């Protein structure tokens, strides 16, 4: 399972509040990713990281920020949550064999 | 504009028969393709991949075929089992940006006993 955990696994929050999701990996992979999954859209890339303090935007980055201060942790922050950010969020790592492995997901509901 | 398309939202197959899931892509720079399986309330799990230098890759009951000229790939599952019922995602990446994958919208496979 590539040693990926996500926390929290479920979260309910109110519009306008900040929310931080955490991804933790135990195998020192360089690349880490945050995706969101919505019906009809598959998995869409929000942000990714290619090393400590090195991050870049993905397809749907508006309203999200990330930080990576340690190799093992990649944080996703919703600066001011909106109902359109209700989704399931997945963290992933990429191995040297160019394969991504995913965490179990965080289900976020913004009321 | 979706670069990776899975035009069948759902597919039903009888247990023991072949399941064929299809994926089309538009970006000719894609050179590496993967299939993932996803059960409800779990993260996607990697199934099988193929590089653009090959046209077929096989792993047990799963075979992926790549037709570069048609920009089409397919996943064959033989024989299909009820445990194969899941959503299947096709993904693609391009050489210089090989660290970023583009995913299709998924196909829900139901294997009927």
């Amino acid at each position: 399972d590539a040693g990926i955990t996500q926390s929290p696994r479920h979260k309910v929050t109110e519009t306008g509040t900040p929310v931080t999701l955490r991804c933790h990996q135990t195998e020192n992979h360089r690349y880490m990713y945050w995706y969101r999954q919505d019906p009809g859209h598959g998995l869409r890339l929000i942000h990714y990281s290619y090393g400590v303090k090195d991050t870049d935007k993905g397809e749907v980055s508006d309203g999200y920020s990330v930080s990576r201060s340690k190799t093992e942790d990649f944080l996703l922050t919703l600066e001011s949550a909106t109902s359109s950010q209700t989704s399931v969020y997945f963290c992933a790592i990429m191995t040297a064999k160019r394969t991504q492995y995913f965490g179990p997901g965080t289900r976020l509901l913004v009321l | 504009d979706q670069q990776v398309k899975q035009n069948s939202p759902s597919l039903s197959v009888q247990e023991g028969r072949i399941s064929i899931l299809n994926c089309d892509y538009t970006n000719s720079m894609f050179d590496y393709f993967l299939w993932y399986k996803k059960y409800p309330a779990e993260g996607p799990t990697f199934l099988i991949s193929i590089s653009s230098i090959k046209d077929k890759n096989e792993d047990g009951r799963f075979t992926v075929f790549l037709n570069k000229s048609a920009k089409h790939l397919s996943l064959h599952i033989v024989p299909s089992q009820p445990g194969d019922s899941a959503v299947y995602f096709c993904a693609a990446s391009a050489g210089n940006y090989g660290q970023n994958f583009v995913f299709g919208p998924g196909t829900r496979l139901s294997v009927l006993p």
Side-chain angles (χ1 to χ4, degrees):
Chain A
D1 65 357
I4 305 167
T5 56
Q6 293 184 231
S7 58
R9 294 292 314 279
H10 302 272
K11 178 120 180 121
V12 180
T13 191
E14 293 187 349
T15 298
T17 60
V19 175
T20 296
L21 308 182
R22 179 180 183 244
C23 178
H24 180 78
Q25 58 137 335
T26 60
E27 298 181 357
N28 290 319
H29 295 290
R30 179 184 175 195
Y31 284 93
M32 297 185 75
Y33 304 80
W34 277 107
Y35 291 90
R36 58 179 290 174
Q37 186 202 0
D38 304 288
H41 291 280
L43 293 152
R44 292 183 292 174
L45 182 65
I46 305 171
H47 282 278
Y48 70 98
S49 170
Y50 47 97
V52 173
K53 293 188 170 52
D54 292 323
T55 65
D56 205 349
K57 296 179 180 180
E59 178 190 0
V60 291
S61 60
D62 286 349
Y64 301 95
S65 63
V66 290
S67 66
R68 192 166 178 202
S69 58
K70 299 185 289 185
T71 299
E72 58 265 35
D73 289 325
F74 191 31
L75 303 180
L76 176 71
T77 297
L78 288 65
E79 294 140 8
S80 176
T82 67
S83 58
S84 65
Q85 292 176 313
T86 291
S87 187
V88 182
Y89 292 85
F90 290 102
C91 173
I93 58 89
M94 188 175 73
T95 66
K97 292 186 177 181
R98 205 174 161 189
T99 300
Q100 290 191 1
Y101 292 90
F102 288 82
T106 294
R107 188 172 295 272
L108 176 67
L109 174 61
V110 183
L111 300 174
Chain B
D1 182 31
Q2 284 189 335
Q3 296 186 69
V4 177
K5 303 175 185 180
Q6 294 176 258
N7 291 322
S8 298
S10 62
L11 174 69
S12 292
V13 170
Q14 219 48 47
E15 181 179 4
R17 307 293 290 270
I18 183 172
S19 295
I20 300 176
L21 296 99
N22 294 304
C23 178
D24 296 291
Y25 61 95
T26 57
N27 187 343
S28 59
M29 299 302 292
F30 287 146
D31 65 347
Y32 190 64
F33 305 88
L34 308 91
W35 284 94
Y36 287 82
K37 176 170 74 173
K38 186 184 178 305
Y39 293 122
E42 295 184 10
T45 56
F46 169 69
L47 269 179
I48 192 168
S49 61
I50 188 167
S51 165
S52 61
I53 62 173
K54 295 185 175 181
D55 55 17
K56 176 183 174 181
N57 189 26
E58 191 172 355
D59 184 1
R61 295 187 297 116
F62 302 92
T63 303
V64 57
F65 296 92
L66 175 62
N67 182 334
K68 290 186 292 293
S69 61
K71 295 190 178 67
H72 176 83
L73 65 155
S74 60
L75 174 68
H76 292 212
I77 306 173
V78 184
S80 300
Q81 299 172 355
D84 297 328
S85 296
V87 177
Y88 289 78
F89 293 101
C90 169
S93 72
N96 286 340
Y97 299 92
Q99 70 275 16
N100 285 353
F101 292 6
V102 178
F103 285 80
T107 296
R108 181 178 301 278
L109 173 66
S110 298
V111 180
L112 309 173

